Amino acid sequence: MYIYFNGAKKAYKEDTVAISTVNPATGEEIKTFEELTEGEIDEKIQRAFDTFLEYRKTPLAERSEMLLRAGEILEDEAEHFGSLMTSEMGKTLAAATAEAKKCARGCRYYAENAERFLADEEAELEGARAFVRYEPLGPVLAVMPWNFPFWQVFRFAAPALMAGNVGLLKHASNVPQCALAIEDIIHRAGFPEGAFQTLLIGSGQVQSVIDDPRVRAVTLTGSEGAGRSVGAEAGEQIKPSVLELGGSDPFIVMPSADLEKAVGSAVTSRTLNNGQSCINAKRIIVHEEIADEFQRRFVERMSSLKVGDPMGENTEMGPLATPQILEDVDSQVRKSVEAGARVLTGGKPMDGAGNFYPPTVITNIPEESPAYREEIFGPVASLFRARDIDDAIRLANDTTFGLGSSAWTNDAREQERFVNEIEAGMVYVNRMTESTPEIPFGGAKNSGYGRELSHYGIREFTNIKTVWIDESAEGAGMAAAE
Ligand code: NAP
Protein backbone atom coordinates (compact mmCIF):
# COMPACT_ATOMS: atom_id res chain seq x y z
CA MET A 1 0.00 0.00 0.00
CA TYR A 2 1.23 3.49 -0.79
CA ILE A 3 0.56 6.80 0.88
CA TYR A 4 0.96 9.97 -1.19
CA PHE A 5 2.45 13.32 -0.17
CA ASN A 6 1.04 16.32 -2.05
CA GLY A 7 0.06 14.00 -4.86
CA ALA A 8 3.74 13.05 -5.25
CA LYS A 9 5.06 9.55 -5.65
CA LYS A 10 4.85 6.80 -3.06
CA ALA A 11 6.01 7.94 0.32
CA TYR A 12 5.62 5.00 2.60
CA LYS A 13 5.06 1.35 1.98
CA GLU A 14 3.26 -0.34 4.83
CA ASP A 15 3.69 -3.80 3.39
CA THR A 16 7.26 -4.84 2.93
CA VAL A 17 7.88 -5.78 -0.68
CA ALA A 18 9.43 -9.06 -1.76
CA ILE A 19 13.19 -8.89 -2.12
CA SER A 20 13.72 -10.51 -5.48
CA THR A 21 15.32 -10.32 -8.89
CA VAL A 22 12.75 -10.22 -11.67
CA ASN A 23 14.13 -9.81 -15.18
CA PRO A 24 12.47 -6.59 -16.48
CA ALA A 25 12.90 -7.68 -20.09
CA THR A 26 10.97 -10.93 -19.65
CA GLY A 27 9.05 -10.70 -16.37
CA GLU A 28 10.72 -13.93 -15.24
CA GLU A 29 11.53 -14.26 -11.52
CA ILE A 30 15.18 -15.23 -11.20
CA LYS A 31 15.86 -15.31 -7.47
CA THR A 32 14.14 -14.38 -4.20
CA PHE A 33 15.61 -13.65 -0.78
CA GLU A 34 14.33 -13.82 2.79
CA GLU A 35 14.29 -10.54 4.68
CA LEU A 36 16.59 -10.38 7.70
CA THR A 37 14.97 -11.01 11.08
CA GLU A 38 15.15 -8.36 13.81
CA GLY A 39 17.84 -10.41 15.55
CA GLU A 40 19.94 -10.61 12.39
CA ILE A 41 19.64 -6.86 11.84
CA ASP A 42 20.75 -6.27 15.42
CA GLU A 43 23.77 -8.54 14.96
CA LYS A 44 24.84 -6.68 11.84
CA ILE A 45 24.49 -3.28 13.49
CA GLN A 46 26.55 -4.51 16.46
CA ARG A 47 29.21 -5.86 14.09
CA ALA A 48 29.29 -2.49 12.31
CA PHE A 49 29.63 -0.64 15.60
CA ASP A 50 32.39 -2.91 16.96
CA THR A 51 34.27 -2.77 13.66
CA PHE A 52 34.07 1.01 13.58
CA LEU A 53 35.89 1.34 16.92
CA GLU A 54 38.93 -0.40 15.40
CA TYR A 55 38.53 0.57 11.75
CA ARG A 56 38.59 4.30 12.53
CA LYS A 57 42.21 3.86 13.65
CA THR A 58 43.32 2.26 10.36
CA PRO A 59 45.90 4.49 8.66
CA LEU A 60 44.61 6.30 5.59
CA ALA A 61 47.27 4.61 3.46
CA GLU A 62 45.85 1.20 4.37
CA ARG A 63 42.27 2.28 3.59
CA SER A 64 43.50 3.67 0.32
CA GLU A 65 45.20 0.39 -0.65
CA MET A 66 41.98 -1.54 0.00
CA LEU A 67 39.90 0.92 -2.00
CA LEU A 68 42.32 0.71 -4.93
CA ARG A 69 41.94 -3.06 -4.78
CA ALA A 70 38.13 -2.67 -4.87
CA GLY A 71 38.60 -0.52 -7.97
CA GLU A 72 40.71 -3.24 -9.61
CA ILE A 73 38.05 -5.87 -8.94
CA LEU A 74 35.39 -3.60 -10.46
CA GLU A 75 37.53 -2.94 -13.51
CA ASP A 76 38.58 -6.58 -14.03
CA GLU A 77 35.08 -8.00 -13.64
CA ALA A 78 33.13 -5.10 -15.10
CA GLU A 79 31.30 -7.23 -17.63
CA HIS A 80 30.16 -9.73 -15.02
CA PHE A 81 28.84 -6.96 -12.74
CA GLY A 82 27.31 -5.33 -15.80
CA SER A 83 25.28 -8.42 -16.68
CA LEU A 84 24.09 -8.65 -13.06
CA MET A 85 22.81 -5.06 -13.23
CA THR A 86 21.16 -5.63 -16.61
CA SER A 87 19.37 -8.77 -15.47
CA GLU A 88 18.04 -7.05 -12.34
CA MET A 89 17.03 -3.60 -13.62
CA GLY A 90 17.19 -3.64 -17.41
CA LYS A 91 19.79 -1.04 -18.46
CA THR A 92 21.77 -2.03 -21.55
CA LEU A 93 24.77 -4.25 -20.97
CA ALA A 94 27.08 -1.60 -22.45
CA ALA A 95 25.76 1.02 -20.03
CA ALA A 96 25.96 -1.37 -17.08
CA THR A 97 29.54 -2.39 -17.85
CA ALA A 98 30.46 1.29 -18.16
CA GLU A 99 28.83 1.87 -14.77
CA ALA A 100 31.07 -0.74 -13.11
CA LYS A 101 34.11 0.97 -14.66
CA LYS A 102 32.91 4.36 -13.44
CA CYS A 103 32.74 2.91 -9.91
CA ALA A 104 36.37 1.82 -10.31
CA ARG A 105 37.23 5.43 -11.21
CA GLY A 106 35.34 6.68 -8.15
CA CYS A 107 37.30 4.29 -5.92
CA ARG A 108 40.62 5.43 -7.40
CA TYR A 109 39.64 9.07 -7.03
CA TYR A 110 38.93 8.81 -3.31
CA ALA A 111 41.86 6.44 -2.68
CA GLU A 112 44.18 9.05 -4.19
CA ASN A 113 42.63 12.24 -2.82
CA ALA A 114 41.07 11.47 0.56
CA GLU A 115 44.21 12.30 2.53
CA ARG A 116 44.23 15.78 1.02
CA PHE A 117 40.48 16.27 1.61
CA LEU A 118 40.71 15.17 5.24
CA ALA A 119 43.93 16.91 6.22
CA ASP A 120 43.78 19.18 9.27
CA GLU A 121 42.90 22.77 8.37
CA GLU A 122 44.67 25.50 10.28
CA ALA A 123 42.43 28.32 11.50
CA GLU A 124 43.55 31.93 11.51
CA LEU A 125 43.50 32.82 15.17
CA GLU A 126 46.04 35.38 16.30
CA GLY A 127 48.58 34.19 18.84
CA ALA A 128 47.01 30.74 19.14
CA ARG A 129 47.06 27.36 17.51
CA ALA A 130 43.66 26.24 16.29
CA PHE A 131 42.65 23.85 13.56
CA VAL A 132 39.85 21.69 12.22
CA ARG A 133 40.11 17.92 12.14
CA TYR A 134 37.71 15.79 10.10
CA GLU A 135 36.72 12.72 12.12
CA PRO A 136 34.46 9.81 11.11
CA LEU A 137 30.99 9.56 12.63
CA GLY A 138 30.47 5.79 12.85
CA PRO A 139 28.05 3.40 11.14
CA VAL A 140 26.17 5.18 8.34
CA LEU A 141 22.97 3.75 6.86
CA ALA A 142 22.72 4.11 3.07
CA VAL A 143 19.23 3.66 1.55
CA MET A 144 19.80 3.32 -2.17
CA PRO A 145 17.80 3.11 -5.43
CA TRP A 146 17.98 0.53 -8.20
CA ASN A 147 18.56 2.85 -11.15
CA PHE A 148 22.37 3.02 -10.87
CA PRO A 149 22.65 -0.02 -8.61
CA PHE A 150 26.46 0.09 -8.38
CA TRP A 151 27.33 3.76 -8.90
CA GLN A 152 24.89 5.10 -6.31
CA VAL A 153 26.38 2.77 -3.70
CA PHE A 154 30.04 3.34 -4.52
CA ARG A 155 29.68 7.09 -4.60
CA PHE A 156 28.56 6.78 -0.98
CA ALA A 157 30.82 3.91 0.09
CA ALA A 158 34.17 5.06 -1.35
CA PRO A 159 34.30 8.42 0.51
CA ALA A 160 32.58 7.03 3.63
CA LEU A 161 35.13 4.20 4.01
CA MET A 162 38.06 6.51 3.30
CA ALA A 163 36.83 8.89 6.02
CA GLY A 164 36.85 5.99 8.51
CA ASN A 165 33.11 5.38 8.68
CA VAL A 166 31.51 1.97 8.19
CA GLY A 167 28.49 1.35 5.96
CA LEU A 168 25.17 -0.45 6.25
CA LEU A 169 23.46 -0.76 2.86
CA LYS A 170 19.70 -1.05 2.48
CA HIS A 171 19.47 -1.38 -1.28
CA ALA A 172 16.27 -1.26 -3.35
CA SER A 173 14.30 -4.50 -3.06
CA ASN A 174 14.60 -5.32 -6.78
CA VAL A 175 18.43 -5.40 -6.87
CA PRO A 176 19.44 -7.78 -4.05
CA GLN A 177 22.08 -9.55 -6.12
CA CYS A 178 23.81 -6.25 -6.90
CA ALA A 179 23.73 -5.42 -3.18
CA LEU A 180 25.37 -8.72 -2.25
CA ALA A 181 27.92 -8.43 -5.07
CA ILE A 182 28.98 -4.98 -3.82
CA GLU A 183 29.39 -6.30 -0.26
CA ASP A 184 31.52 -9.12 -1.67
CA ILE A 185 33.74 -6.72 -3.68
CA ILE A 186 34.42 -4.61 -0.60
CA HIS A 187 35.28 -7.67 1.51
CA ARG A 188 37.49 -9.19 -1.20
CA ALA A 189 39.34 -5.87 -1.34
CA GLY A 190 40.40 -6.46 2.26
CA PHE A 191 38.01 -4.28 4.27
CA PRO A 192 36.84 -5.99 7.48
CA GLU A 193 33.47 -7.74 7.29
CA GLY A 194 31.80 -5.18 9.56
CA ALA A 195 33.06 -2.22 7.51
CA PHE A 196 30.39 -2.75 4.88
CA GLN A 197 27.30 -4.94 5.20
CA THR A 198 24.16 -5.38 3.18
CA LEU A 199 20.88 -5.43 5.08
CA LEU A 200 18.30 -7.37 3.07
CA ILE A 201 15.31 -5.51 4.48
CA GLY A 202 12.23 -3.78 3.13
CA SER A 203 11.61 -0.05 3.42
CA GLY A 204 9.33 -0.65 6.43
CA GLN A 205 12.36 -1.57 8.55
CA VAL A 206 14.42 1.51 7.70
CA GLN A 207 12.95 3.63 10.49
CA SER A 208 14.06 1.28 13.26
CA VAL A 209 17.61 1.17 11.85
CA ILE A 210 17.74 5.00 11.79
CA ASP A 211 16.47 5.03 15.39
CA ASP A 212 19.20 2.68 16.59
CA PRO A 213 21.70 4.70 18.66
CA ARG A 214 24.63 2.76 17.20
CA VAL A 215 23.76 4.14 13.73
CA ARG A 216 25.10 7.70 13.49
CA ALA A 217 23.88 9.06 10.15
CA VAL A 218 21.80 8.23 7.10
CA THR A 219 21.97 8.95 3.40
CA LEU A 220 19.11 8.28 0.99
CA THR A 221 19.00 8.43 -2.77
CA GLY A 222 15.48 7.94 -4.03
CA SER A 223 12.09 9.52 -4.48
CA GLU A 224 10.78 12.64 -2.80
CA GLY A 225 8.37 10.64 -0.66
CA ALA A 226 11.08 8.34 0.67
CA GLY A 227 13.22 11.43 1.32
CA ARG A 228 10.49 13.04 3.38
CA SER A 229 10.09 10.02 5.60
CA VAL A 230 13.84 9.29 6.04
CA GLY A 231 14.65 12.99 6.55
CA ALA A 232 11.87 13.33 9.14
CA GLU A 233 13.11 10.31 11.06
CA ALA A 234 16.72 11.51 10.98
CA GLY A 235 15.51 14.89 12.26
CA GLU A 236 13.56 13.22 15.04
CA GLN A 237 16.73 11.39 16.07
CA ILE A 238 18.98 14.45 15.50
CA LYS A 239 21.22 12.56 13.10
CA PRO A 240 22.89 14.01 10.02
CA SER A 241 21.29 13.08 6.73
CA VAL A 242 21.95 13.57 3.04
CA LEU A 243 19.01 13.38 0.64
CA GLU A 244 19.52 12.92 -3.10
CA LEU A 245 15.99 12.97 -4.48
CA GLY A 246 14.07 13.25 -7.71
CA GLY A 247 14.30 15.88 -10.37
CA SER A 248 12.54 17.27 -13.41
CA ASP A 249 15.55 18.84 -15.05
CA PRO A 250 15.12 21.56 -17.68
CA PHE A 251 17.14 21.40 -20.91
CA ILE A 252 16.99 24.84 -22.51
CA VAL A 253 17.97 25.54 -26.12
CA MET A 254 18.44 29.12 -27.36
CA PRO A 255 18.84 30.31 -30.99
CA SER A 256 22.64 30.76 -30.79
CA ALA A 257 23.18 27.10 -29.75
CA ASP A 258 24.69 24.43 -31.99
CA LEU A 259 21.33 22.89 -32.87
CA GLU A 260 22.55 19.52 -34.07
CA LYS A 261 24.65 19.01 -30.95
CA ALA A 262 21.78 20.14 -28.72
CA VAL A 263 19.32 17.73 -30.38
CA GLY A 264 21.74 14.80 -30.02
CA SER A 265 22.40 15.58 -26.37
CA ALA A 266 18.70 16.05 -25.62
CA VAL A 267 17.98 12.56 -26.99
CA THR A 268 20.84 10.99 -25.01
CA SER A 269 20.00 12.92 -21.88
CA ARG A 270 16.30 11.99 -21.96
CA THR A 271 16.79 8.29 -22.73
CA LEU A 272 19.94 7.55 -20.72
CA ASN A 273 19.39 4.60 -18.38
CA ASN A 274 16.14 3.80 -20.23
CA GLY A 275 14.84 7.22 -19.17
CA GLN A 276 15.24 6.45 -15.46
CA SER A 277 17.91 8.82 -14.19
CA CYS A 278 17.33 11.59 -11.67
CA ILE A 279 19.17 13.96 -14.04
CA ASN A 280 17.57 12.99 -17.34
CA ALA A 281 16.53 16.05 -19.35
CA LYS A 282 12.84 15.72 -18.56
CA ARG A 283 11.57 19.12 -19.71
CA ILE A 284 12.99 20.37 -23.01
CA ILE A 285 12.46 24.12 -23.32
CA VAL A 286 13.20 25.55 -26.76
CA HIS A 287 13.18 29.19 -27.92
CA GLU A 288 10.26 29.63 -30.36
CA GLU A 289 12.57 30.90 -33.12
CA ILE A 290 14.14 27.44 -33.50
CA ALA A 291 11.37 25.31 -31.96
CA ASP A 292 9.93 23.85 -35.21
CA GLU A 293 13.29 22.69 -36.50
CA PHE A 294 14.36 21.37 -33.09
CA GLN A 295 11.09 19.45 -32.73
CA ARG A 296 11.38 17.88 -36.19
CA ARG A 297 14.92 16.60 -35.59
CA PHE A 298 14.28 15.60 -31.97
CA VAL A 299 11.14 13.57 -32.71
CA GLU A 300 12.87 11.87 -35.65
CA ARG A 301 15.83 10.82 -33.49
CA MET A 302 13.72 9.74 -30.53
CA SER A 303 11.49 7.54 -32.68
CA SER A 304 14.42 5.84 -34.39
CA LEU A 305 16.10 4.55 -31.21
CA LYS A 306 16.44 0.76 -31.05
CA VAL A 307 14.44 -0.54 -28.09
CA GLY A 308 14.74 -4.19 -27.08
CA ASP A 309 16.71 -6.86 -25.23
CA PRO A 310 19.11 -4.96 -22.97
CA MET A 311 21.68 -7.72 -23.38
CA GLY A 312 21.68 -7.15 -27.17
CA GLU A 313 24.76 -5.51 -28.66
CA ASN A 314 22.88 -2.94 -30.76
CA THR A 315 20.15 -2.11 -28.29
CA GLU A 316 19.98 1.58 -27.38
CA MET A 317 17.20 1.37 -24.80
CA GLY A 318 15.94 -1.47 -22.63
CA PRO A 319 12.79 -1.91 -20.54
CA LEU A 320 11.68 0.02 -17.46
CA ALA A 321 12.82 -1.61 -14.22
CA THR A 322 9.46 -2.80 -12.83
CA PRO A 323 5.81 -3.22 -13.90
CA GLN A 324 4.91 -0.54 -11.32
CA ILE A 325 7.14 2.04 -13.05
CA LEU A 326 5.60 1.11 -16.41
CA GLU A 327 2.15 1.64 -14.92
CA ASP A 328 3.18 4.98 -13.36
CA VAL A 329 4.65 6.32 -16.62
CA ASP A 330 1.66 5.15 -18.64
CA SER A 331 -0.76 6.76 -16.21
CA GLN A 332 1.16 10.09 -16.13
CA VAL A 333 1.17 10.28 -19.94
CA ARG A 334 -2.50 9.29 -20.25
CA LYS A 335 -3.57 11.89 -17.67
CA SER A 336 -1.47 14.57 -19.39
CA VAL A 337 -3.08 13.75 -22.74
CA GLU A 338 -6.55 13.82 -21.16
CA ALA A 339 -5.67 17.30 -19.86
CA GLY A 340 -4.77 18.45 -23.40
CA ALA A 341 -1.17 17.40 -24.12
CA ARG A 342 -0.33 16.12 -27.61
CA VAL A 343 1.77 13.02 -28.31
CA LEU A 344 4.37 13.49 -31.09
CA THR A 345 5.81 9.98 -30.89
CA GLY A 346 5.36 6.93 -28.62
CA GLY A 347 2.82 7.42 -25.86
CA LYS A 348 1.77 3.93 -24.83
CA PRO A 349 3.40 0.72 -23.52
CA MET A 350 4.80 -1.66 -26.13
CA ASP A 351 3.15 -5.02 -26.75
CA GLY A 352 4.69 -8.26 -25.54
CA ALA A 353 6.52 -9.42 -22.43
CA GLY A 354 8.65 -7.12 -20.27
CA ASN A 355 8.18 -3.53 -19.10
CA PHE A 356 8.86 -1.83 -22.44
CA TYR A 357 7.82 1.78 -23.04
CA PRO A 358 8.94 3.57 -26.23
CA PRO A 359 10.83 6.87 -26.44
CA THR A 360 8.03 9.41 -26.23
CA VAL A 361 7.70 13.13 -26.93
CA ILE A 362 4.71 15.18 -25.79
CA THR A 363 3.95 18.86 -26.26
CA ASN A 364 1.19 21.48 -25.60
CA ILE A 365 1.47 20.53 -21.94
CA PRO A 366 -1.12 22.14 -19.63
CA GLU A 367 0.14 23.53 -16.33
CA GLU A 368 -1.93 21.27 -14.16
CA SER A 369 -1.00 18.01 -15.88
CA PRO A 370 1.44 15.40 -14.47
CA ALA A 371 3.90 16.08 -17.31
CA TYR A 372 4.18 19.70 -16.11
CA ARG A 373 4.16 19.15 -12.36
CA GLU A 374 5.68 15.73 -11.67
CA GLU A 375 8.84 13.80 -12.41
CA ILE A 376 8.23 11.21 -15.13
CA PHE A 377 10.64 8.34 -14.49
CA GLY A 378 10.68 6.89 -17.99
CA PRO A 379 11.69 7.93 -21.54
CA VAL A 380 9.10 10.70 -21.93
CA ALA A 381 10.28 14.15 -23.03
CA SER A 382 8.01 17.10 -22.31
CA LEU A 383 8.61 19.71 -25.00
CA PHE A 384 7.94 23.39 -24.24
CA ARG A 385 8.33 26.57 -26.30
CA ALA A 386 9.70 29.77 -24.73
CA ARG A 387 9.10 33.30 -26.06
CA ASP A 388 12.45 34.63 -24.82
CA ILE A 389 15.08 34.05 -22.15
CA ASP A 390 12.84 35.35 -19.35
CA ASP A 391 10.14 32.90 -20.36
CA ALA A 392 12.69 30.07 -20.57
CA ILE A 393 13.98 30.79 -17.06
CA ARG A 394 10.43 31.10 -15.73
CA LEU A 395 9.50 27.70 -17.18
CA ALA A 396 12.74 26.11 -15.96
CA ASN A 397 12.09 27.27 -12.40
CA ASP A 398 8.37 26.49 -12.38
CA THR A 399 8.87 23.18 -10.57
CA THR A 400 9.22 22.04 -7.00
CA PHE A 401 12.43 20.24 -7.98
CA GLY A 402 15.91 21.70 -8.40
CA LEU A 403 18.44 19.01 -9.21
CA GLY A 404 20.31 19.51 -12.50
CA SER A 405 19.82 21.71 -15.55
CA SER A 406 21.35 22.19 -18.95
CA ALA A 407 21.35 25.41 -20.97
CA TRP A 408 22.44 25.63 -24.60
CA THR A 409 23.54 29.03 -25.85
CA ASN A 410 26.68 30.62 -27.26
CA ASP A 411 25.73 34.06 -26.01
CA ALA A 412 27.90 34.92 -22.99
CA ARG A 413 25.26 37.17 -21.37
CA GLU A 414 22.64 34.45 -21.66
CA GLN A 415 25.06 31.90 -20.18
CA GLU A 416 25.62 34.16 -17.18
CA ARG A 417 21.87 34.61 -16.66
CA PHE A 418 21.23 30.86 -16.73
CA VAL A 419 24.08 30.21 -14.29
CA ASN A 420 22.73 32.87 -11.89
CA GLU A 421 19.00 32.43 -12.27
CA ILE A 422 18.26 28.73 -12.60
CA GLU A 423 17.21 27.32 -9.23
CA ALA A 424 19.12 24.05 -9.22
CA GLY A 425 22.03 22.30 -7.57
CA MET A 426 23.81 22.05 -10.93
CA VAL A 427 23.86 24.14 -14.11
CA TYR A 428 25.64 22.74 -17.16
CA VAL A 429 26.17 24.99 -20.18
CA ASN A 430 26.36 23.49 -23.68
CA ARG A 431 26.54 19.97 -22.25
CA MET A 432 24.15 17.54 -20.64
CA THR A 433 24.12 17.02 -16.89
CA GLU A 434 26.26 14.16 -15.64
CA SER A 435 28.09 13.07 -12.52
CA THR A 436 31.82 12.59 -12.16
CA PRO A 437 33.86 12.10 -8.97
CA GLU A 438 35.71 15.44 -9.21
CA ILE A 439 32.70 17.78 -8.90
CA PRO A 440 29.91 17.94 -6.31
CA PHE A 441 26.53 16.41 -7.08
CA GLY A 442 23.25 17.30 -5.38
CA GLY A 443 20.06 19.29 -5.48
CA ALA A 444 18.15 22.31 -4.23
CA LYS A 445 14.42 22.69 -3.41
CA ASN A 446 12.61 19.31 -3.22
CA SER A 447 15.52 17.53 -4.89
CA GLY A 448 17.20 17.26 -1.51
CA TYR A 449 20.15 18.56 0.45
CA GLY A 450 23.77 17.73 1.07
CA ARG A 451 26.32 16.87 -1.57
CA GLU A 452 27.98 13.74 -2.86
CA LEU A 453 31.33 13.43 -4.68
CA SER A 454 34.39 15.77 -4.61
CA HIS A 455 35.71 17.00 -1.24
CA TYR A 456 32.18 18.08 -0.30
CA GLY A 457 30.96 14.48 -0.42
CA ILE A 458 33.64 13.01 1.84
CA ARG A 459 33.10 15.69 4.48
CA GLU A 460 29.32 15.12 4.76
CA PHE A 461 29.79 12.23 7.17
CA THR A 462 32.54 13.67 9.30
CA ASN A 463 32.56 15.49 12.59
CA ILE A 464 34.20 18.83 11.81
CA LYS A 465 36.06 18.96 15.09
CA THR A 466 37.40 22.32 16.25
CA VAL A 467 40.66 22.13 18.16
CA TRP A 468 42.19 25.09 20.02
CA ILE A 469 45.44 24.46 21.80
CA ASP A 470 46.59 27.17 24.14
CA GLU A 471 50.36 26.99 24.10
CA SER A 472 51.05 30.13 26.16
CA ALA A 473 52.49 29.68 29.65
CA GLU A 474 49.42 31.22 31.36
CA GLY A 475 46.99 29.24 29.27
CA ALA A 476 48.76 25.96 29.99
CA GLY A 477 48.75 26.86 33.69
CA MET A 478 45.05 27.65 33.69
CA ALA A 479 44.24 24.39 31.96
CA ALA A 480 46.28 22.52 34.56
CA ALA A 481 44.52 24.36 37.41
CA GLU A 482 41.11 23.35 36.11
P1 NAP B 1 12.24 4.92 -3.96
O1 NAP B 1 11.02 4.15 -4.15
O2 NAP B 1 12.21 6.13 -3.11
O3 NAP B 1 13.34 3.88 -3.43
C1 NAP B 1 14.66 4.25 -3.11
C2 NAP B 1 15.10 3.51 -1.87
O4 NAP B 1 14.34 3.97 -0.75
C3 NAP B 1 14.84 2.00 -1.94
O5 NAP B 1 15.87 1.35 -1.24
C4 NAP B 1 13.51 1.85 -1.21
O6 NAP B 1 13.32 0.56 -0.68
C5 NAP B 1 13.65 2.89 -0.13
N1 NAP B 1 12.39 3.45 0.36
C6 NAP B 1 11.25 3.70 -0.34
N2 NAP B 1 10.33 4.27 0.46
C7 NAP B 1 10.90 4.39 1.69
C8 NAP B 1 10.45 4.89 2.95
N3 NAP B 1 9.26 5.41 3.10
N4 NAP B 1 11.28 4.83 4.01
C9 NAP B 1 12.52 4.31 3.86
N5 NAP B 1 13.00 3.82 2.72
C10 NAP B 1 12.21 3.87 1.63
O7 NAP B 1 12.87 5.44 -5.32
P2 NAP B 1 12.89 4.67 -6.68
O8 NAP B 1 11.57 4.85 -7.33
O9 NAP B 1 13.44 3.33 -6.50
O10 NAP B 1 14.02 5.55 -7.43
C11 NAP B 1 13.74 6.56 -8.27
C12 NAP B 1 13.77 7.92 -7.60
O11 NAP B 1 15.08 8.18 -7.12
C13 NAP B 1 13.48 9.01 -8.59
O12 NAP B 1 12.70 9.99 -8.00
C14 NAP B 1 14.87 9.54 -8.92
O13 NAP B 1 14.88 10.83 -9.46
C15 NAP B 1 15.54 9.43 -7.58
N6 NAP B 1 17.01 9.41 -7.73
C16 NAP B 1 17.72 10.49 -7.28
C17 NAP B 1 19.09 10.55 -7.44
C18 NAP B 1 19.91 11.73 -6.97
O14 NAP B 1 21.13 11.61 -6.90
N7 NAP B 1 19.31 12.86 -6.66
C19 NAP B 1 19.75 9.49 -8.05
C20 NAP B 1 19.00 8.41 -8.49
C21 NAP B 1 17.62 8.38 -8.31
P3 NAP B 1 12.39 -0.54 -1.41
O15 NAP B 1 13.01 -0.82 -2.73
O16 NAP B 1 12.44 -1.68 -0.49
O17 NAP B 1 11.05 0.10 -1.54
Side-chain angles (χ1 to χ4, degrees), residues 215-237:
V215 173
R216 296 293 158 81
V218 58
T219 178
L220 172 124
T221 301
S223 58
E224 185 183 341
R228 284 179 193 277
S229 85
V230 164
E233 199 53 32
E236 179 68 29
Q237 298 298 325

Side-chain angles (χ1 to χ4, degrees), residues 9-13 17 19 143-148 152 155 170-174 201-204 206-207 220-227 229-230 243-247 276-279 282 325 375 377 401 403 441-443 447 452:
K9 241 189 114 185
K10 65 197 173 220
Y12 185 79
K13 293 173 192 166
V17 291
I19 297 177
V143 183
M144 291 289 144
W146 47 266
N147 63 338
F148 290 93
Q152 299 291 356
R155 78 183 194 186
K170 181 270 178 275
H171 215 326
S173 296
N174 55 328
I201 57 175
S203 54
V206 167
Q207 182 178 332
L220 172 124
T221 301
S223 58
E224 185 183 341
S229 85
V230 164
L243 299 180
E244 295 281 3
L245 309 178
Q276 303 159 116
S277 165
C278 51
I279 50 169
K282 291 173 187 136
I325 297 163
E375 174 184 36
F377 217 53
F401 294 111
L403 191 56
F441 187 95
S447 292
E452 290 191 298

Side-chain angles (χ1 to χ4, degrees), residues 193-472:
E193 200 188 332
F196 190 90
Q197 300 172 88
T198 281
L199 302 178
L200 289 178
I201 57 175
S203 54
Q205 283 156 295
V206 167
Q207 182 178 332
S208 64
V209 179
I210 296 173
D211 291 356
D212 192 297
R214 295 165 293 185
V215 173
R216 296 293 158 81
V218 58
T219 178
L220 172 124
T221 301
S223 58
E224 185 183 341
R228 284 179 193 277
S229 85
V230 164
E233 199 53 32
E236 179 68 29
Q237 298 298 325
I238 317 182
K239 292 184 183 180
S241 59
V242 167
L243 299 180
E244 295 281 3
L245 309 178
S248 187
D249 286 7
F251 184 104
I252 304 163
V253 189
M254 298 297 283
S256 65
D258 177 335
L259 194 64
E260 192 50 24
K261 214 170 145 201
V263 170
S265 281
V267 172
T268 308
S269 183
R270 179 54 283 206
T271 56
L272 188 92
N273 214 38
N274 307 344
Q276 303 159 116
S277 165
C278 51
I279 50 169
N280 284 131
K282 291 173 187 136
R283 295 176 299 134
I284 319 275
I285 300 165
V286 187
H287 190 285
E288 61 186 11
E289 229 174 273
I290 49 162
D292 287 340
E293 184 55 18
F294 181 96
Q295 179 174 312
R296 191 185 64 72
R297 295 193 207 179
F298 182 61
V299 170
E300 193 180 293
R301 294 262 202 104
M302 285 287 278
S303 48
S304 63
L305 287 176
K306 290 186 198 72
V307 183
D309 177 7
M311 291 286 184
E313 228 174 85
N314 298 319
T315 304
E316 290 171 298
M317 225 185 72
L320 297 175
T322 66
Q324 180 65 51
I325 297 163
L326 182 67
E327 205 180 302
D328 288 348
V329 170
D330 184 34
S331 149
Q332 286 171 301
V333 171
R334 272 190 293 107
K335 284 184 187 153
S336 301
V337 170
E338 278 161 25
R342 195 157 58 88
V343 175
L344 298 175
T345 183
K348 54 178 192 302
M350 292 162 76
D351 293 334
N355 317 317
F356 287 96
Y357 197 89
T360 293
V361 183
I362 55 178
T363 193
N364 289 16
I365 298 156
E367 279 199 19
E368 288 319 314
S369 65
Y372 195 102
R373 293 278 158 222
E374 299 171 10
E375 174 184 36
I376 301 186
F377 217 53
V380 179
S382 300
L383 196 54
F384 296 86
R385 287 171 186 238
R387 284 186 304 278
D388 50 26
I389 187 167
D390 293 323
D391 198 32
I393 292 170
R394 177 192 65 77
L395 277 164
N397 289 338
D398 195 12
T399 168
T400 54
F401 294 111
L403 191 56
S405 60
S406 171
W408 293 71
T409 169
N410 283 310
D411 178 320
R413 274 170 312 176
E414 285 181 356
Q415 291 182 353
E416 192 60 16
R417 283 202 60 192
F418 287 127
V419 169
N420 287 328
E421 295 178 42
I422 293 182
E423 299 166 354
M426 300 169 282
V427 180
Y428 287 48
V429 177
N430 292 336
R431 57 182 303 133
M432 57 182 263
T433 320
E434 59 179 305
S435 69
T436 186
E438 300 80 6
I439 49 179
F441 187 95
K445 292 158 80 176
N446 290 7
S447 292
Y449 52 76
R451 289 293 178 268
E452 290 191 298
L453 302 174
S454 77
H455 66 278
Y456 291 99
I458 198 169
R459 291 176 188 165
E460 285 286 355
F461 294 118
T462 57
N463 172 21
I464 303 173
K465 186 181 263 182
T466 301
V467 183
W468 183 349
I469 300 176
D470 193 336
E471 290 169 329
S472 68

Side-chain angles (χ1 to χ4, degrees), residues 69-79 81 97 100-105 108:
R69 175 78 195 114
E72 281 165 17
I73 298 170
L74 282 156
E75 191 81 52
D76 293 349
E77 300 169 34
E79 205 147 314
F81 298 131
T97 305
K101 291 185 180 175
K102 184 172 178 176
C103 294
R105 200 153 63 77
R108 279 196 297 275

